[in-house]
C-alpha cells in the first residue's frame, strides 16, 4: 500500500486544571512572571467586565449580551500575542482579546445597548480591527481578504480571525482557510471550541476527531491547544503569527474550552445541558489554574487579587457611567452613514423622518 | 480612435483604473490567464501581474468575502461573478457586510468595492446563466446598483463605480456585450452615478428602461415615430440610489409611462418606478402606467427565452395602449 498523505495533530498544554506545570520547556514570555501577572490581571478584568455586562442586561440597561465566561485564557492569549499592526476579525464574544487591543468596555456596552457607535472603536490598534460579526463565520473571509491585501502590498502584518466550533462548519470558514493555503496568506484562524453552538453540541458539528485538522485539507499548519491554558494558547499564537509574518503559511488553531455561561442572555442553557457537565467544566476553568501557578511562584496572592478586583470594579463603574450618560444619537444618524454622502433621493426620506421627529412621532 | 464593444469598454475601464490607481485589483474565477469567460479581463494579468489580477478558488462566497476584507484594508477590489446566476452565494457578504459596513461602524470601516456580473438573458446560455435579478440588490440599503447599456456608458460608469467610496453592484447586459461598437476615448472620464440618461427626447410617451432593453426601447421609439408618436427614452442606468426627478420630469411632460425590464414583473424594479409615478405624477398622467417585463416565471432554457424577454412589438403595443387611453 502506498500512502498519498499522512497527518497528525499536536495537542499543547503547559498547565493542567490544577495549575500544575505539565512540561518544562516554558516559552520565553511565560518565564517573565511580571508579564504573566499582567495576563492574569487582564483575564480577571475580562471576567469582572463580563459579570458587569450580564448584570446590566438583567437590570434592563443592556439589550441581549453574549457572555465570554470561561473564554478568558483563549481570548487574552489571542489578543496578547498579536502585534498592534495585525488585524483582528472577531465573532461576537472575544472581549478579552479586544480589551487588550484597546476596545473600551463602554463600546461593548454601547453595541449591545443598541447604539452603532459601539462599533466605532476609538483607540488603536482596535480602531483598525473589524467590528463584531454576528453572521456566523463571515468574518473569516474578511481576515483572508485583509491577509491578501497585506500580501499584495508586501506588508509584514497578519490577519487573525476567531470562530466557534459551530462556525467552523460554515463555508465561509472553509473558504477562508482554503484561499489562505492556496495563496500562502498571512492568516491565523482560531477555532475557539467552547463545545456548544447555542444548544447544539460539538459532536453534531463534525465527525472529525479534532476541529484543528480541518486546516490540513487547506494546507495550513494545525494545532489543538488547551484553550483554558493561556500559556498554550499564547505559545501556539506566537508560533502561528511568526510563521505567517515570515511568509511561511497560515494556521488553524483549535483552542478547546467551555462556554460556562448561556449562549447569550436570551438563552437558557439548562434546557439542553446537564448540571454535572457544567460542574466538571468549572473544575477546568482558566482562571483557577493560572492563579494557582502564579501563587506557587510567589508572585500572586489573595491580597493582590482583592486589590485588583477592586480596581477593576472601579474601572467598570466608570465605563458603565460613561455608557449610561451617552445620549442617544439623533434620528438622522440612521441615514448619515449609509453612503459616504447622503444621496439626494435618501435625503428626502431623511427630511421626512426628521419632520416626524420635530412633531414628536 | 478605435471603435470598441461594450465588453471591450469594460476591459478598457479596468485597465485605465489599474494603471492609475495601484490599489485597484481584479479577482474572480478565470479572470487571469483566460481573461474571463467573456474576455472582460483580457490581457490584464499580463500587464498587472498575478496578484492584481487574481484567479481565486472556485467559490463565490470566498470571492465576495475576500473582496470585503481587501476593501476594508483600503484596496479597491473589482470582483467578478462569472454569471449573474452564480451571485447568490455572494449575497450574505454583500448584504450583511459590504452594504452595511460604513453604517454599522459609523464610518470607521468602509467597503469601496465593485461586484461585476454578466447579467440577463438572450445569448442561448445554459441554465442559471441568464438571470436578471437586479431587484434583489435594489432593496439593500447602502448599495449602488448600476447597469450600463452602451460601450461609452459601460466605460464611464465602471470608472465611477470603482472610484465610488461605497460598494457598487455593476451588472453588465451580456446580450449587448458585442452588439455594436462606438468610439470610447480612453480618457479616464467617469460618468455620474446619480443620474438617469435621457437617450431620446419625446413628447407623447416615456419609455423607462435599463440594461439590454435600452436597445428594444430605442427601436420601439423608431417604430412609434413612424406611426407619428414621439417617445422619450430614459436609461435609468443607476437604479439605486434612484434619480427619480429625471423620470418625473419626463412623465409630467408626456403624461404616459411605459416601464420595460426583463426581470420578473412582481416586485421587479419597475414596480418601484410605477409606485413613484403614482406618488408624484398621478395628476399629470393621461393613461395607466404600463409595464412590459419578463413574466413571473423562471427564464426558460434558450429555445423559449426570446419569448420571455420584452420585444419591440410588446413595447410598441404597450405604448399604443397608453395613447389609446386618452
Amino acid at each position: 500500500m502506498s500512502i498519498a498523505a499522512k497527518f497528525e495533530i499536536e495537542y499543547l498544554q503547559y498547565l493542567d486544571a490544577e495549575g500544575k506545570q505539565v512540561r518544562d520547556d516554558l516559552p520565553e514570555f511565560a518565564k517573565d512572571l511580571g508579564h504573566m501577572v499582567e495576563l492574569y490581571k487582564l483575564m480577571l478584568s475580562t471576567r469582572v467586565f463580563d459579570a458587569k455586562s450580564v448584570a446590566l442586561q438583567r437590570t434592563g440597561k443592556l439589550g441581549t449580551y453574549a457572555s465570554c465566561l470561561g473564554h478568558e485564557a483563549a481570548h487574552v492569549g489571542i489578543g496578547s500575542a498579536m502585534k498592534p499592526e495585525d488585524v483582528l476579525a472577531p465573532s461576537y464574544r472575544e472581549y478579552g482579546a479586544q480589551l487588550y487591543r484597546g476596545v473600551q468596555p463602554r463600546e461593548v456596552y454601547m453595541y449591545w445597548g443598541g447604539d452603532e457607535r459601539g462599533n466605532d472603536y476609538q483607540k488603536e490598534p482596535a480602531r483598525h480591527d473589524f467590528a463584531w460579526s454576528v453572521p456566523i463565520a463571515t468574518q473569516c473571509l474578511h481576515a483572508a481578504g485583509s491577509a491578501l491585501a497585506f500580501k499584495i502590498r508586501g506588508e509584514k502584518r497578519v490577519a487573525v480571525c476567531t470562530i466557534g466550533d459551530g462556525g467552523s462548519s460554515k463555508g465561509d470558514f472553509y473558504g477562508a482557510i482554503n484561499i489562505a493555503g492556496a495563496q500562502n496568506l498571512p492568516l491565523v484562524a482560531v477555532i475557539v471550541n467552547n463545545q456548544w453552538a447555542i444548544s447544539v453540541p460539538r459532536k453534531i458539528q463534525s465527525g472529525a476527531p479534532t476541529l484543528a485538522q480541518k486546516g490540513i485539507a487547506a494546507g495550513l499548519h494545525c494545532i489543538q491547544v488547551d484553550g483554558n491554558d493561556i500559556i498554550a494558547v499564547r505559545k501556539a499564537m506566537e508560533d502561528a503569527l511568526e510563521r505567517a509574518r515570515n511568509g511561511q503559511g497560515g494556521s488553524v488553531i483549535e483552542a478547546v474550552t467551555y462556554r460556562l455561561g448561556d449562549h447569550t442572555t436570551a438563552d437558557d442553557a439548562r434546557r439542553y445541558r446537564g448540571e454535572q457537565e457544567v460542574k466538571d467544566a468549572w473544575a477546568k476553568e482558566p482562571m483557577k489554574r493560572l492563579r494557582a501557578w502564579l501563587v506557587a511562584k510567589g508572585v500572586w496572592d489573595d491580597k493582590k487579587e482583592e486589590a485588583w478586583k477592586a480596581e477593576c470594579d472601579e474601572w467598570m463603574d466608570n465605563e458603565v457611567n460613561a455608557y449610561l450618560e451617552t445620549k442617544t444619537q439623533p434620528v438622522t444618524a440612521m441615514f448619515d452613514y449609509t453612503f459616504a454622502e447622503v444621496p439626494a433621493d435618501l435625503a428626502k426620506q431623511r427630511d421626512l423622518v426628521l419632520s416626524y421627529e420635530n412633531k414628536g412621532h | 480612435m478605435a471603435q470598441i464593444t461594450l465588453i471591450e469598454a469594460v476591459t478598457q475601464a479596468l485597465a485605465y483604473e489599474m494603471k492609475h490607481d495601484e490599489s485597484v485589483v481584479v479577482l474572480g474565477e478565470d479572470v487571469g490567464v483566460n481573461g474571463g469567460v467573456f474576455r472582460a479581463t483580457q490581457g490584464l494579468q499580463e500587464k498587472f501581474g498575478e496578484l492584481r489580477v487574481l484567479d481565486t478558488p472556485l467559490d463565490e462566497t470566498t470571492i465576495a468575502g475576500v473582496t470585503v476584507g481587501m476593501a476594508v484594508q483600503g484596496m479597491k477590489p473589482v470582483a467578478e461573478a462569472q454569471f449573474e446566476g452564480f451571485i447568490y452565494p455572494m449575497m450574505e457578504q454583500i448584504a450583511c457586510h459590504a452594504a452595511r459596513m460604513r453604517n454599522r461602524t459609523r464610518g470607521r470601516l468602509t467597503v469601496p468595492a465593485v461586484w461585476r456580473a454578466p447579467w440577463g438573458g438572450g445569448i442561448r446560455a445554459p441554465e442559471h446563466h441568464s438571470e436578471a435579478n437586479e431587484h434583489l440588490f435594489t432593496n439593500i440599503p447602502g448599495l449602488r446598483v448600476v447597469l450600463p447599456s452602451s460601450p461609452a456608458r459601460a466605460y464611464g460608469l465602471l470608472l465611477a463605480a470603482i472610484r465610488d467610496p461605497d460598494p457598487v453592484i455593476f451588472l453588465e447586459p451580456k446580450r449587448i456585450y458585442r452588439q455594436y461598437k462606438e468610439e470610447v476615448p480612453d480618457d479616464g472620464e467617469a460618468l455620474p452615478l446619480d443620474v438617469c440618461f435621457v437617450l431620446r427626447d419625446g413628447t407623447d410617451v416615456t419609455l423607462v428602461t435599463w440594461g439590454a432593453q435600452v436597445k428594444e426601447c430605442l427601436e420601439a421609439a423608431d417604430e412609434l415615430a413612424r406611426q407619428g408618436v414621439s417617445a422619450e427614452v430614459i436609461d435609468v442606468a443607476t437604479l439605486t440610489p434612484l434619480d427619480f426627478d429625471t423620470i418625473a420630469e419626463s412623465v409630467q411632460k408626456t403624461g404616459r409611462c411605459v416601464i420595460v425590464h426583463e426581470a420578473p414583473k412582481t416586485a421587479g424594479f419597475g414596480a418601484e418606478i410605477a409606485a413613484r409615478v403614482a406618488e408624484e405624477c398621478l395628476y399629470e398622467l393621461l393613461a395607466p402606467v404600463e409595464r412590459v417585463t419578463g413574466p413571473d416565471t423562471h427564464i426558460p432554457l434558450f429555445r423559449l427565452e426570446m419569448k420571455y424577454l420584452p420585444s419591440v412589438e410588446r413595447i410598441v403595443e404597450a405604448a399604443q395602449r397608453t395613447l389609446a387611453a386618452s
Side-chain angles (χ1 to χ4, degrees):
Chain A
M1 185 179 64
S2 55
I3 304 294
K6 249 183 156 175
F7 71 90
E8 53 190 18
I9 300 294
E10 180 191 348
Y11 176 78
L12 187 63
Q13 185 194 45
Y14 291 90
L15 301 181
D16 70 9
E18 306 306 320
K20 200 173 101 229
Q21 206 175 306
V22 295
R23 47 194 289 172
D24 297 328
D25 57 340
L26 275 186
E28 278 310 305
F29 70 87
K31 292 176 189 162
D32 178 351
L33 291 175
H35 183 64
M36 291 310 296
V37 166
E38 288 308 309
L39 294 181
Y40 177 75
K41 283 165 79 175
L42 187 59
M43 285 167 62
L44 190 53
S45 54
T46 302
R47 184 162 285 190
V48 172
F49 151 80
D50 191 67
K52 186 70 80 178
S53 308
V54 173
L56 280 173
Q57 192 279 334
R58 297 297 186 223
T59 51
K61 297 187 179 82
L62 214 58
T64 300
Y65 170 77
S67 161
C68 67
L69 185 63
H71 303 71
E72 296 85 356
H75 293 169
V76 174
I78 292 164
S80 66
M82 293 173 66
K83 289 194 172 179
E85 63 268 28
D86 297 336
V87 162
L88 178 66
S91 67
Y92 43 77
R93 66 169 103 244
E94 291 85 337
Y95 315 115
Q98 293 182 298
L99 293 177
Y100 198 98
R101 290 179 62 77
V103 170
Q104 302 170 82
R106 69 185 68 177
E107 292 167 339
V108 186
Y109 300 147
M110 279 167 81
Y111 179 66
W112 295 108
D115 190 325
E116 289 86 352
R117 288 174 295 181
N119 280 332
D120 185 11
Y121 310 144
Q122 294 297 310
K123 292 187 179 172
E124 289 287 0
R127 189 150 180 80
H128 69 254
D129 285 344
F130 286 84
W132 295 286
S133 179
V134 175
I136 298 301
T138 51
Q139 72 276 8
C140 299
L141 285 168
H142 304 163
S146 300
L148 186 51
F150 301 155
K151 180 183 169 184
I152 292 171
R153 295 195 294 234
E155 297 170 352
K156 283 207 156 196
R157 301 166 67 187
V158 184
V160 176
C161 60
T162 50
I163 188 175
D165 41 312
S168 80
S169 298
K170 263 196 78 174
D172 297 63
F173 166 74
Y174 285 107
I177 61 173
N178 185 52
I179 193 170
Q183 288 287 336
N184 191 28
L185 301 181
L187 175 81
V188 176
V190 189
I191 302 170
V192 181
N193 171 7
N194 68 11
Q195 312 303 327
W196 290 94
I198 308 189
S199 67
V200 179
R202 154 69 181 84
K203 66 171 190 268
I204 289 184
Q205 297 298 338
S206 172
T210 73
L211 299 179
Q213 73 198 65
K214 294 186 178 196
I216 297 286
L220 302 190
H221 302 273
C222 302
I223 188 169
Q224 187 188 63
V225 303
D226 182 339
N228 291 342
D229 171 12
I230 191 168
I231 301 177
V233 176
R234 167 75 176 259
K235 169 69 171 138
M237 278 298 293
E238 282 192 351
D239 291 349
L241 287 163
E242 193 184 335
R243 278 193 303 263
R245 211 179 301 286
N246 295 327
Q248 293 163 332
S251 295
V252 171
I253 299 171
E254 178 187 6
V256 180
T257 179
Y258 192 87
R259 195 192 79 208
L260 292 171
D262 297 326
H263 166 66
T264 66
T265 51
D267 175 43
D268 180 0
R270 290 171 303 183
R271 292 170 56 84
Y272 50 79
R273 66 184 188 189
E275 271 175 48
Q276 191 55 48
E277 178 186 314
V278 180
K279 220 172 169 181
D280 293 347
W282 268 106
K284 297 184 208 156
E285 67 92 26
M287 308 294 306
K288 195 181 75 174
R289 71 178 71 183
L290 182 58
R291 181 167 51 232
W293 186 73
L294 292 172
V295 168
K297 298 273 183 195
V299 292
W300 195 252
D301 55 37
D302 287 349
K303 211 174 139 197
K304 284 180 176 158
E305 175 107 358
E306 289 316 308
W308 178 243
K309 268 188 179 167
E311 265 189 63
C312 290
D313 279 335
E314 201 185 322
W315 177 25
M316 295 312 153
D317 286 345
N318 274 335
E319 292 295 313
V320 169
N321 287 338
Y323 159 65
L324 294 176
E325 284 166 11
T326 305
K327 289 204 174 83
T328 300
Q329 301 168 92
V331 68
T332 48
M334 73 175 86
F335 295 92
D336 292 343
Y337 304 93
T338 306
F339 295 95
E341 286 175 31
V342 181
D345 199 48
L346 191 57
K348 291 178 195 167
Q349 296 182 16
R350 183 184 60 184
D351 293 346
L352 180 66
V353 168
L354 195 56
S355 78
Y356 295 151
E357 184 78 353
N358 294 337
K359 285 183 243 165
H361 59 87
Chain B
M1 191 183 309
Q3 304 247 324
I4 58 173
T5 61
L6 196 157
I7 186 78
E8 287 164 345
V10 167
T11 316
Q12 183 170 296
L14 290 170
Y16 183 94
E17 209 55 11
M18 292 190 79
K19 186 177 161 193
H20 290 87
D21 181 350
E22 64 176 25
S23 66
V24 178
V25 294
V26 165
L27 69 159
E29 295 152 4
D30 305 298
V31 299
V33 179
N34 197 34
V37 294
F38 285 100
R39 309 292 175 257
T41 54
Q42 176 99 28
L44 295 182
Q45 195 177 63
E46 278 171 25
K47 267 188 211 146
F48 301 105
E50 286 181 12
L51 275 181
R52 288 186 67 201
V53 183
L54 188 88
D55 274 325
T56 65
L58 206 169
D59 176 36
E60 286 78 14
T61 309
T62 294
I63 297 170
V66 160
T67 295
V68 171
M70 293 174 90
V72 165
Q73 297 309 331
M75 306 211 71
K76 294 196 157 186
V78 181
E80 179 176 299
Q82 198 160 69
F83 285 88
E84 183 65 6
F86 304 156
I87 211 166
Y88 298 102
M90 297 185 160
M91 289 195 74
E92 183 181 32
Q93 287 288 350
I94 291 171
C96 296
H97 292 294
R100 64 193 293 156
M101 188 72 75
R102 177 188 295 280
N103 182 64
R104 72 185 295 266
T105 63
R106 302 284 91 161
R108 180 171 67 86
L109 305 177
T110 60
V111 181
V114 178
W115 279 263
R116 294 178 42 246
W119 164 98
I123 63 157
R124 300 172 64 83
E127 194 178 7
H128 304 293
H129 288 62
S130 302
E131 326 302 299
N133 53 19
E134 64 276 17
H135 48 284
L136 299 182
F137 296 97
T138 55
N139 199 239
I140 298 173
L143 285 183
R144 285 191 162 79
V145 180
V146 180
L147 287 102
S149 64
S150 74
R153 283 188 291 282
Y155 180 77
L157 292 171
L158 183 52
L159 285 177
I162 298 170
R163 291 170 194 172
D164 194 86
D166 291 301
V168 178
I169 305 297
F170 194 83
L171 304 175
E172 299 162 5
K174 56 172 128 35
R175 183 156 60 91
I176 58 170
Y177 259 160
R178 297 184 170 84
Q179 194 172 56
Y180 67 95
K181 294 184 173 192
E182 67 181 354
E183 278 189 11
V184 183
D186 194 13
D187 55 8
E189 286 292 320
L191 285 168
L193 289 178
D194 56 357
V195 297
C196 301
F197 297 95
V198 180
L199 300 184
R200 178 176 173 135
D201 290 323
T203 53
D204 298 327
V205 59
T206 303
L207 308 180
V208 182
T209 192
W210 52 89
Q213 271 62 49
V214 165
K215 171 184 174 280
E216 276 73 26
C217 283
L218 288 169
E219 286 175 20
D222 285 342
E223 174 56 28
L224 288 164
R226 284 191 282 276
Q227 299 173 13
V229 174
S230 164
E232 185 144 302
V233 178
I234 295 178
D235 173 12
V236 179
T238 298
L239 271 53
T240 49
L242 178 64
D243 162 28
F244 186 69
D245 291 349
T246 298
I247 298 169
E249 202 176 302
S250 174
V251 174
Q252 282 160 359
K253 176 177 70 177
T254 63
R256 299 178 185 89
C257 180
V258 177
I259 302 157
V260 182
H261 64 68
E262 71 180 67
K265 185 171 194 173
T266 300
F269 195 68
E272 174 62 23
I273 293 176
R276 300 256 198 142
V277 168
E279 286 173 344
E280 296 188 30
C281 312
L282 186 68
Y283 297 120
E284 284 88 359
L285 280 181
L286 300 170
V289 171
E290 286 276 347
R291 280 186 285 166
V292 183
T293 70
D296 290 343
T297 69
H298 299 288
I299 186 165
L301 295 186
F302 64 81
R303 291 190 186 199
L304 282 178
E305 73 174 330
M306 295 315 287
K307 306 254 181 206
Y308 175 94
L309 300 175
S311 63
V312 175
E313 293 77 12
R314 291 180 196 178
I315 299 164
V316 168
E317 207 178 282
Q320 285 167 341
R321 277 196 299 273
T322 67
L323 286 148
S326 62

